[in-house]
Every structure is written in C-alpha cells, then in structure tokens.
C-alpha cells in the first residue's frame, strides 16, 4: 500500500438536534505529504503558506432558535502554530472575539454591543490599538444620545 499524498478527515465528535436547539462539535484535518503537488505549490514562493497539518476544531451551537441565541467557536492550527481562534456568541452577552496569527503578527478583534477593540501586535509588542466605547446610550421617541 502506498503513502497518502493528501488526506482530509472530518470527524463529528458530538451532534444533537433538538426541537429548538442544535449542537455540532467536530474536528477537520488536512494532512499534506511533502511529496504532494499541493504541498510543493504552497511552499514554492510564500513559505508562510507551507504546512503539513491544518487542523480545525469547531463548536457550532444554536442554543435557542426562537431567541436567536448562538455559540460558535472555531480554532485553527497550522502544524503546531495557532493561526485563528474565533468566538461568536450571544448566550450571556453579545460578543465577537477573533485572534488571527500570521508569521510574527497577531490581530485581535473584540466586539460587544458597547465596545469595539482592534489591536495589531508584532510578537508581544502592540503596534496599533483602536478602542471605540459607548459610554451612554439613551433612545427617546424622536431622538437618541
């Protein structure tokens, strides 16, 4: 038997379908052998695209369909390096958190109903940080503040 050049596996570890809810946990792997055309193409010019093992762990949950409550988590690694960690949830309070790593750069975004924060880091050094926060919100009949 020969060696696999490209292998893709998607494993569902948990699945639950209710009348008003839905849950799916899983793991997806894309494995590339160093002799495969895809591996050599990805490694040809930008070596940052080169990988042997791309793994995605995911949690997709509709907590309450009627109330439109969701909890989504996605974690992606390239070989042993985390490249994406994302969370979207409105179960306790609405929030979106994304961490994206590329080479030595890291981009972090956090969004809630009252604040947006974006930050770009080079290693542990913050290059740019943007924060927009609502301090007071009042909605009247013909106005808002």
């Amino acid at each position: 038997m020969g060696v696999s050049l490209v292998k893709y596996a998607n494993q569902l570890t948990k699945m639950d379908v209710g009348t008003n809810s839905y849950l799916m946990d899983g793991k997806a792997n894309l494995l590339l052998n160093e002799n495969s055309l895809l591996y050599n193409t990805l490694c040809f010019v930008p070596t940052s695209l080169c990988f042997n093992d791309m793994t995605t762990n995911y949690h997709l949950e509709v907590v309450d369909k009627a109330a439109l409550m969701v909890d989504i988590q996605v974690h992606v690694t390239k070989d042993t390096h985390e490249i994406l960690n994302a969370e979207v949830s409105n179960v306790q309070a609405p929030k979106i958190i994304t961490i994206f790593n590329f080479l030595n750069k890291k981009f972090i975004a956090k969004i809630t109903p009252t604040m947006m924060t974006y930050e770009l880091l080079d290693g542990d050094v913050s290059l740019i940080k943007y924060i927009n926060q609502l301090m007071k919100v009042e909605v009247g009949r013909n106005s808002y503040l």
Side-chain angles (χ1 to χ4, degrees):
M1 184 170 202
V3 175
S4 294
L5 296 177
V6 177
K7 182 178 178 183
Y8 176 76
N10 189 11
Q11 178 183 19
L12 290 175
T13 56
K14 188 172 189 180
M15 189 166 186
D16 185 22
V17 179
T19 56
N20 197 33
S21 63
Y22 177 81
L23 170 67
M24 183 171 62
D25 285 339
K27 179 179 183 177
N29 289 85
L30 177 59
L31 303 170
L32 300 180
N33 184 295
E34 292 178 359
N35 296 322
S36 72
L37 177 63
L38 182 56
Y39 176 87
N40 287 301
T41 303
L42 291 173
C43 297
F44 181 65
V45 177
T47 57
S48 59
L49 297 179
C50 192
F51 69 89
N52 292 108
D53 180 2
M54 181 81 71
T55 301
T56 302
N57 291 299
Y58 53 89
H59 171 88
L60 309 171
E61 182 176 11
V62 175
V63 178
D64 186 340
K65 184 173 138 184
L68 303 175
M69 294 173 65
V70 297
D71 182 26
I72 301 168
Q73 299 166 21
V74 178
H75 183 258
V76 181
T77 58
K78 183 180 80 164
D79 296 322
T80 59
H81 183 71
E82 177 186 67
I83 59 171
L84 177 68
N85 191 351
E87 180 181 354
V88 176
S89 179
N90 64 350
V91 176
Q92 294 177 349
K95 67 179 174 182
I96 300 172
I97 300 172
T98 303
I99 300 172
F100 179 72
N101 293 301
F102 189 73
L103 298 172
N104 289 335
K105 306 289 190 275
K106 181 186 281 189
F107 178 74
I108 302 173
K110 296 179 183 178
I111 302 171
T112 66
T114 59
M115 184 168 33
M116 291 188 306
T117 304
Y118 303 104
E119 186 170 16
L120 179 63
L121 296 110
D122 186 356
D124 292 332
V125 178
S126 180
L127 300 175
I128 279 182
K129 187 169 187 176
Y130 171 79
I131 300 173
N132 187 357
Q133 184 172 8
L134 292 173
M135 302 303 281
K136 183 176 183 181
V137 177
E138 290 183 18
V139 179
R141 187 174 195 132
N142 294 319
S143 64
Y144 68 92
L145 172 65

